[in-house]
Amino acid sequence: MKVRWFITHKKSETYSDCCDRFSCNAANRRMAISDGISQSVFSGEWAEILTEGYVKGLNLGDESERVHLCEMWLERVQSYVAEKKKTGVSTWRLERHLTEKNGAGATFCGIEFKNRSDWDGFVLGDSCLIEVENECGSYKINIHSSNVDGVFDNCPDYFDSFESNNGKGHPKQLCGKISDRSFLLLVTDPFASFLSRNKDNITQYIEQILALVDHKGFCHLVDKWRTNGMTDDDSTLGIIEYDGEDNETELHRDDLHKLIEKGDRGLLIKIGQTISKYRGQRRMNGNLRQRIERRTLNVNFNARKRRNIKKHTTARKH
């Protein structure tokens, strides 16, 4: 099979703010996407833990296996709290969330290929699997989510990061096959809801998706679709096509962590340019100074958070 993976953030935010995640494992032919609910705490990290856990072979439908992932999420948040305390930054709000067990929520979709064409998996919430059929050059789609009646709203089903909480909804089991006349899309809700609303003209949109080859082209497509009514939200797209081979061929894969690092470097450059602009002046505007300090702190915290995640991941491997 041939696969392509793309991801981007809300228009007004950065990659550091992105709460979508995807992961794949060529060894066991598992792949997954997840959308962290942005109003919840550390939801991007929870989405990352879920997708990585699934592609490593965990059964997320089994609560006893999911407990381990909940513990990983809590460790990451507690490590972040400790880092902030070292710098004297108040953490009472975050600690209150933990005390009250108001954690993270994330929707999910994961599939596993049994051979070159047959697959099974499940969805929870509005991270969706879309089956695409090519009928003589005209495309038809079938969108799978766990939403009642396929409705896309602000209250999707989700996995909760606290094991004592029930989350919302139940995973919906799926199975099927791909062929030289069909393929799959794994998408978060902006793509799912947009394509659902445009089923009557779906062929033109599917052709635009199939033409994607790189991150720049994907971002251009998302910007264009947003002007045509697609929700301005974190957006993830996976394309899985049949090629008659057992092995997985990765044609493109966005690296979110590298995109975050690149964006943070750019932000630090802009901060430096702003400081240089005001250097030599006796006084910098108080509000501007506070914004610069806050943005610099966020960049540094993001870098430390990534290092902590790598440290915990490496420790668990050993």
Side-chain angles (χ1 to χ4, degrees), residues 61-118:
D62 186 335
E63 186 175 340
S64 63
E65 293 194 36
R66 208 164 60 245
V67 166
H68 167 64
L69 302 184
C70 293
E71 293 171 350
M72 287 181 62
W73 174 85
L74 186 58
E75 285 180 11
R76 290 189 186 182
V77 181
Q78 290 173 335
S79 176
Y80 180 73
V81 169
E83 283 289 319
K84 294 193 78 171
K85 282 186 172 181
K86 289 180 182 178
T87 63
V89 177
S90 174
T91 61
W92 70 268
R93 191 185 300 274
L94 183 53
E95 290 182 273
R96 181 177 178 181
H97 278 294
L98 297 181
T99 300
E100 297 177 351
K101 298 190 182 302
N102 293 325
T107 64
F108 186 88
C109 177
I111 60 173
E112 176 183 1
F113 276 85
K114 303 301 182 182
N115 50 49
R116 67 188 64 178
S117 60
D118 296 289

Side-chain angles (χ1 to χ4, degrees), residues 9 28 34 75 101 115 130 132 139 146-147 172 199 222 240 243 299:
H9 55 81
N28 60 14
S34 181
E75 285 180 11
K101 298 190 182 302
N115 50 49
I130 302 178
V132 184
Y139 292 101
S146 69
N147 295 352
K172 178 181 177 181
K199 282 187 175 181
V222 169
I240 303 98
D243 64 359
V299 170

Side-chain angles (χ1 to χ4, degrees), residues 272-311:
Q273 291 172 340
T274 302
I275 293 174
S276 296
K277 178 181 177 181
Y278 286 90
R279 184 172 291 141
Q281 296 186 17
R282 297 187 63 182
R283 178 174 297 178
M284 183 185 294
N285 178 278
N287 289 334
L288 177 60
R289 183 185 299 278
Q290 289 178 5
R291 289 201 302 273
I292 289 174
E293 291 175 349
R294 185 164 57 248
R295 294 175 80 181
T296 305
L297 278 173
N298 286 338
V299 170
N300 291 334
F301 277 133
N302 286 332
R304 284 198 295 271
K305 186 166 66 175
R306 289 194 295 274
R307 288 197 296 270
N308 286 335
I309 289 172
K310 290 179 181 178
K311 180 176 69 177

Side-chain angles (χ1 to χ4, degrees), residues 20 31 34 70 128-129 150 171 188 194 201 245 261 270 274-275 277:
D20 277 10
M31 52 197 75
S34 181
C70 293
C128 300
L129 181 142
T188 47
F194 180 77
N201 300 307
E245 301 292 331
E261 291 173 358
K270 289 182 180 179
T274 302
I275 293 174
K277 178 181 177 181

Side-chain angles (χ1 to χ4, degrees), residues 7 15-16 18 20-23 44-45 47-49 51-52 76 215 253-265 302-303 305-310 313:
I7 190 169
Y15 286 105
S16 294
C18 184
D20 277 10
R21 295 293 190 275
F22 68 83
S23 189
E45 283 73 14
E48 183 169 293
I49 289 169
T51 55
E52 290 183 351
R76 290 189 186 182
H215 179 71
R253 179 176 183 173
D254 283 346
D255 188 324
L256 179 60
H257 292 290
K258 288 184 178 179
L259 291 170
I260 291 173
E261 291 173 358
K262 182 180 179 180
D264 284 351
R265 286 196 300 269
N302 286 332
K305 186 166 66 175
R306 289 194 295 274
R307 288 197 296 270
N308 286 335
I309 289 172
K310 290 179 181 178
T313 301

